[in-house]
């Protein structure tokens, strides 16, 4: 039985392909960093069709006539925390990819950007339930009728995301330690 030859991966592993991918990912991170706060603004301050679903989730009402501009500004302010954290994290990850594209993937600035992104992932997971509780309390306070309720949403998905974020943090710290040891070895030799 003839086994087919393994595929030639030399093209995929070439430095130019890696550089192109790093530049592409840096551009994607920059786009995400800009889009995150802009989309947050558009969802809450844009057409009703965009914020109708989140409102129904928190209020359970189909009538959204009470949701006016000042309430939209309040919702935007509450949800801006996560959007801005995500934008900052993606911007720092962009720096890591730019360093990778210029053959400095294991430089201190690159790894500092990666480590900042990892810690921001952890903070996003921690801030998210508080943000959702604050948003539900705010909308409940503003909505006519019963009001006065708070939705606390913390589940296994949040714990899985926290584990995932902590894996990123540990990888970032291991890489940082490896670079320090390499620099010490280079200084010794």
């Amino acid at each position: 039985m003839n086994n087919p030859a393994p595929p030639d991966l030399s093209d995929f592993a070439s430095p130019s392909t890696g550089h192109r991918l790093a530049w592409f990912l840096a551009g994607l991170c920059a786009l995400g960093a800009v889009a995150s706060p802009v989309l947050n603004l558009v969802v809450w301050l844009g057409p009703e069709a965009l914020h109708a679903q989140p409102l129904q989730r928190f209020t359970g009402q189909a009538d959204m006539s009470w949701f006016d501009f000042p309430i939209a500004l309040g919702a935007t302010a509450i949800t801006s925390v996560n959007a801005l954290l995500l934008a900052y994290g993606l911007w720092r990850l962009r720096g890591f990819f730019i360093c990778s594209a210029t053959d400095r993937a294991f430089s201190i600035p690159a790894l500092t950007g990666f480590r900042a992104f990892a810690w921001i992932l952890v903070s996003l997971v921690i801030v998210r339930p508080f943000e959702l509780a604050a948003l539900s309390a705010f909308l409940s306070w503003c909505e006519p009728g019963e009001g006065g309720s708070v939705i606390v949403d913390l589940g296994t998905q949040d714990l899985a995301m926290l584990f995932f974020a902590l894996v990123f943090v540990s990888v970032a710290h291991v890489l940082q330690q490896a670079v320090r040891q390499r620099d010490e070895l280079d200084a010794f030799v």
Side-chain angles (χ1 to χ4, degrees):
M1 193 183 265
N2 289 340
N3 288 335
D8 183 22
L9 298 177
S10 61
D11 262 358
F12 182 74
S14 72
S16 63
T17 302
H19 292 157
R20 284 193 304 264
L21 179 62
W23 281 116
F24 174 74
L25 292 173
L28 227 63
C29 287
L31 181 66
V34 171
S36 175
V38 169
L39 288 175
N40 185 54
L41 288 171
V42 168
V43 163
W44 292 109
L45 300 176
E48 184 179 326
L50 293 176
H51 55 257
Q53 183 187 15
L55 282 176
Q56 286 177 355
R57 175 179 174 213
F58 287 113
T59 64
Q61 292 186 4
D63 177 28
M64 300 299 157
S65 61
W66 57 272
F67 190 79
D68 55 1
F69 188 71
I71 297 172
L73 280 178
T76 302
I78 291 170
T79 57
S80 289
V81 174
N82 245 353
L84 292 174
L85 275 173
L86 179 61
Y88 180 68
L90 287 172
W91 194 258
R92 294 298 303 266
L93 186 62
R94 172 192 161 273
F96 168 76
F97 285 124
I98 287 174
C99 287
S100 296
T102 56
D103 288 331
R104 297 178 299 132
F106 294 106
S107 66
I108 296 296
L111 294 179
T112 302
F114 184 75
R115 189 176 69 214
F117 172 73
W119 279 110
I120 288 170
L121 279 180
V122 171
S123 69
L124 284 169
V125 172
I126 293 170
V127 167
R128 182 185 168 274
F130 293 106
E131 178 189 67
L132 292 177
L135 182 62
S136 71
F138 174 73
L139 292 175
S140 174
W141 177 67
C142 292
E143 101 179 80
E146 296 284 323
S149 65
V150 175
I151 297 173
V152 178
D153 184 18
L154 183 65
T156 55
Q157 180 182 1
D158 295 309
L159 295 176
M161 296 214 23
L162 181 62
F163 175 76
F164 178 72
L166 289 173
V167 166
F168 264 77
V169 168
S170 64
V171 167
H173 283 288
V174 165
L175 289 173
Q176 190 87 23
Q177 191 64 22
V179 167
R180 281 191 196 123
Q181 288 179 352
R182 183 197 66 193
D183 291 346
E184 288 174 7
L185 183 63
D186 288 347
F188 181 73
V189 173

